[in-house]
Amino acid sequence: MKLLTLARDLQRRKARERQYRFVAEGLRTVEMLLASPLEVAGLLVTASLREDDRGRALLAMAEAREVPLVEVSEAELASAADTETPQGVLAVAAIPERRLAPPSGPARYLVLDALQDPGNVGTVIRTAAAMGVTATVALPGTVDVWNAKVVRGSMGALFHHPVVMMSWEDFGRFVETAGVELWAADLAGVPLPSVSSADCPERLGMVVSNEGAGLSPHVAAAVTRTVHIPMAPEVESLNVAVATGILLYALRVASSSSQSS
């Protein structure tokens, strides 16, 4: 299949799942992709990419990796892109095969329970990578993590941070076998500042869910503790990406205190 035709096809989730390929758009995203160990099938580029130093440097990176380059018109590139301004470059790359390995020591997991906004999902994946999370798990109902908006929002984190899409049944078995305790964010939970290092289990999965729907039944039944972020009374809730950052940072601080004591 020609690279342009393939890139157009990969706008659809079913095509990504069938081809085991995804699209990365824009200078920064493609730069980070080329710097990663992921297999890159090829780049679609326009003539404008050669007009500045940054574009020429990106092309040099691709040529050093022997990545095929296909020059297309601006209109052709736009037909394969999710954004209005793909900045003269779009890459097609292989979706890495990732599985959850049984942890040999302490582990922290971020669990996405039916998060549907791709921008939020990209941001929480980036945050998980920044906070040293062992892996992120996307449960059913969560947007495809290789959606172009998620890839862009993750700012390259998807290229190195392990993100695994799993059924609840498979994840439930992993949690039981690996001894992972599941916590979740909930307004009725324990205030986050009162959670001490002694409270944090060695292996913890932090569940964040759809703001409107709340926890799915399977997840709610498996959660052993809920926590909440104290807020000013006039504010009802936080964006899920912001809340995830606060939760993961607090847990990281608590875990560091536990390890240093």
Side-chain angles (χ1 to χ4, degrees), residues 2-259:
K2 290 183 178 179
L3 193 66
L4 178 59
T5 303
L6 175 59
R8 288 169 175 159
D9 195 35
L10 293 175
Q11 292 179 346
R12 300 180 299 113
R13 180 171 186 162
K14 286 185 178 179
R16 294 192 294 272
E17 292 173 345
R18 184 179 67 251
Q19 299 284 350
Y20 296 99
R21 297 284 187 273
F22 72 96
V23 165
E25 302 173 23
L27 283 166
R28 183 167 177 77
T29 303
V30 176
E31 286 168 347
M32 290 185 287
L33 174 63
L34 289 171
S36 80
L38 298 193
E39 175 195 338
V40 183
L43 300 188
L44 296 176
V45 301
T46 64
S48 64
L49 193 65
R50 303 181 189 276
E51 293 176 359
D52 61 40
D53 291 342
R54 188 175 180 186
R56 289 190 289 271
L58 184 149
L59 291 171
M61 289 176 68
E63 290 165 359
R65 285 192 53 174
E66 300 183 342
V67 173
L69 302 175
V70 177
E71 189 160 321
V72 294
S73 69
E74 297 286 351
E76 287 173 325
L77 188 67
S79 73
D82 179 70
T83 57
E84 291 184 8
T85 55
Q87 300 177 301
V89 62
L90 180 153
V92 173
I95 293 175
E97 185 175 341
R98 290 169 172 163
R99 302 180 186 278
L100 281 188
S104 57
R108 292 286 180 270
Y109 301 95
L110 177 63
V111 184
L112 312 183
D113 181 23
L115 293 192
Q116 297 168 352
D117 182 271
N120 281 337
V121 171
T123 301
V124 299
I125 290 171
R126 181 184 179 189
T127 303
M131 292 295 105
V133 169
T134 307
T136 295
V137 177
L139 294 178
T142 297
V143 66
D144 176 21
V145 299
W146 296 103
N147 173 298
K149 287 187 177 70
V150 178
V151 173
R152 197 162 58 252
S154 79
M155 295 293 286
L158 262 172
F159 307 151
H160 57 83
H161 174 68
V163 181
V164 183
M165 292 179 283
M166 299 181 76
S167 67
W168 165 251
E169 290 75 17
D170 287 344
F171 183 61
R173 284 191 287 269
F174 172 80
V175 164
E176 185 175 350
T177 303
V180 176
E181 186 174 333
L182 291 184
W183 289 13
D186 188 89
L187 288 174
V190 175
L192 193 58
S194 69
V195 176
S196 70
S197 59
D199 296 323
C200 292
E202 185 179 62
R203 297 173 183 173
L204 171 64
M206 187 70 228
V207 181
V208 292
S209 60
N210 184 297
E211 292 175 65
L215 295 172
S216 61
H218 281 306
V219 176
V223 165
T224 59
R225 186 170 195 173
T226 58
V227 296
H228 84 269
I229 301 166
M231 294 179 288
E234 61 271 19
V235 179
E236 184 177 319
S237 65
L238 289 172
N239 169 274
V240 67
V242 173
T244 300
I246 295 170
L247 290 164
L248 293 181
Y249 180 76
L251 292 174
R252 180 174 184 166
V253 170
S255 297
S256 298
S257 299
S258 175
Q259 291 168 9

